[in-house]
Amino acid sequence: IRQNMKFFVARVNIKEQRKTGFQELRPIQIAFESPKFMLPIRLGMANADGPQDLIVYAMTRSGRVESSNYQTVKVPSDVEVPEFVQQEFGHFYKSLFAKSWREHDHRAIATEYVWNMGFCDPCAANPLTADELRELGVFWLANQAGPAGPAGPFRGGGVPVTLTRLHLRYDAQHFPEDLVFQQTGDQQNFQGRYIIRHPWRGTSSCTAASAYREQLPVRHRQEAETLASLTGWDMARIHKRMGDDAPKPADPTWWKKLWR
């Protein structure tokens, strides 16, 4: 109230909501103008029991969005991890995020994704179409359309839309202020990338194949160490999940070989 801010409470008719066929409530979309580029979070902590997670998607004309009153860091990225992570990616990423959050004293905001919607080289999914961007409130595209038509994706670069995804885990102790954002001029694309290299398991006995198999244990050991560093997982657990790819124990010293 002292900041001349307003909030509203939505009353939901459960019977009518069930008729829509959706299990979750559809989002409420509002539009307003304000000189403040911020997001109030303190009110939501009044009755909170422990930390809460918040995902923020911000779309701007000219660049990445970051917090101006809290540290903004990029999630660890571009690292090689063991093959089994593909089947446990959700658990892996939760552990990675939690460890990074603890390492930054529970106060940092993580940048998970930054991308210009004009091109895709490479990206995990197609950029949002012109119609999708307008539905999300990108009002400055009102008179623009992509080469593929109003609903088609933009191509060729130069599109004035940069999408930023921020992820924070917050509580009253570590986030005493509401979030304040700022738009930067940074348009460098970024996404959390975790590389999985599937080893060749053929039976060829040529020189190249033998050399390849000899270097695999070194690679697998590095992948296991990287995974432990990213997540804090116990190395014995990682080796168990790696199965036959787990690094083998080092050979005993020469004198142990003599008398065993």
Side-chain angles (χ1 to χ4, degrees):
I1 295 175
R2 289 194 298 269
Q3 297 183 38
N4 195 29
M5 297 173 62
K6 300 178 176 64
F7 68 93
F8 62 87
V9 178
R11 184 176 181 179
V12 179
N13 187 320
I14 299 298
K15 292 183 179 179
E16 293 298 321
Q17 191 272 334
R18 288 172 180 164
K19 295 178 183 178
T20 66
F22 294 97
Q23 292 184 344
E24 298 180 354
L25 294 177
R26 288 177 290 180
I28 298 174
Q29 191 169 20
I30 62 173
F32 63 95
E33 293 183 356
S34 172
K36 300 177 181 179
F37 189 15
M38 55 87 68
L39 183 65
I41 60 174
R42 290 181 297 170
L43 184 63
M45 292 186 280
N47 297 318
D49 182 16
Q52 304 175 77
D53 278 57
L54 176 66
I55 305 294
V56 177
Y57 291 93
M59 285 165 285
T60 65
R61 285 184 174 93
S62 62
R64 176 178 57 85
V65 169
E66 64 183 14
S67 173
S68 62
N69 60 335
Y70 293 104
Q71 183 184 15
T72 305
V73 300
K74 292 180 179 179
V75 294
S77 181
D78 298 318
V79 292
E80 296 185 11
V81 294
E83 192 176 18
F84 78 88
V85 170
Q86 183 173 0
Q87 306 302 323
E88 301 182 14
F89 187 80
H91 182 42
F92 156 75
Y93 189 76
K94 288 178 181 179
S95 298
L96 176 147
F97 178 83
K99 187 171 185 291
S100 177
W101 174 65
R102 292 191 299 268
E103 289 175 345
H104 290 91
D105 195 29
H106 305 178
R107 300 178 189 275
I109 299 173
T111 299
E112 295 181 323
Y113 183 87
V114 181
W115 214 269
N116 182 284
M117 292 291 100
F119 59 93
C120 179
D121 183 26
C123 54
N126 290 330
L128 297 175
T129 66
D131 282 350
E132 288 171 333
L133 290 169
R134 293 189 190 101
E135 289 176 3
L136 290 170
V138 183
F139 61 88
W140 58 91
L141 294 182
N143 298 318
Q144 298 188 37
F154 294 100
R155 293 183 176 87
V159 177
V161 182
T162 297
L163 171 64
T164 303
R165 172 182 163 120
L166 302 173
H167 184 178
L168 65 147
R169 182 167 293 169
Y170 65 99
D171 58 22
Q173 178 182 355
H174 300 97
F175 283 80
E177 301 176 357
D178 290 325
L179 290 178
V180 180
F181 300 111
Q182 62 184 10
Q183 179 180 233
T184 73
D186 180 12
Q187 297 191 34
Q188 183 176 3
N189 292 334
F190 170 81
Q191 59 183 336
R193 296 196 314 150
Y194 308 98
I195 303 161
I196 295 175
R197 298 169 64 186
H198 300 279
W200 177 71
R201 305 183 190 278
T203 58
S204 176
S205 58
C206 67
T207 302
S210 298
Y212 171 78
R213 280 192 286 266
E214 287 178 1
Q215 60 85 30
L216 277 180
V218 176
R219 193 180 87 192
H220 290 154
R221 182 175 292 105
Q222 292 173 342
E223 291 172 349
E225 291 173 353
T226 298
L227 181 59
S229 175
L230 289 173
T231 62
W233 289 355
D234 178 69
M235 190 65 78
R237 175 185 181 275
I238 293 174
H239 287 177
K240 182 178 180 180
R241 291 294 295 114
M242 291 178 71
D244 293 339
D245 291 340
K248 302 299 185 290
D251 290 337
T253 54
W254 64 269
W255 51 269
K256 288 186 177 180
K257 293 180 181 179
L258 286 176
W259 296 304
R260 66 179 179 182

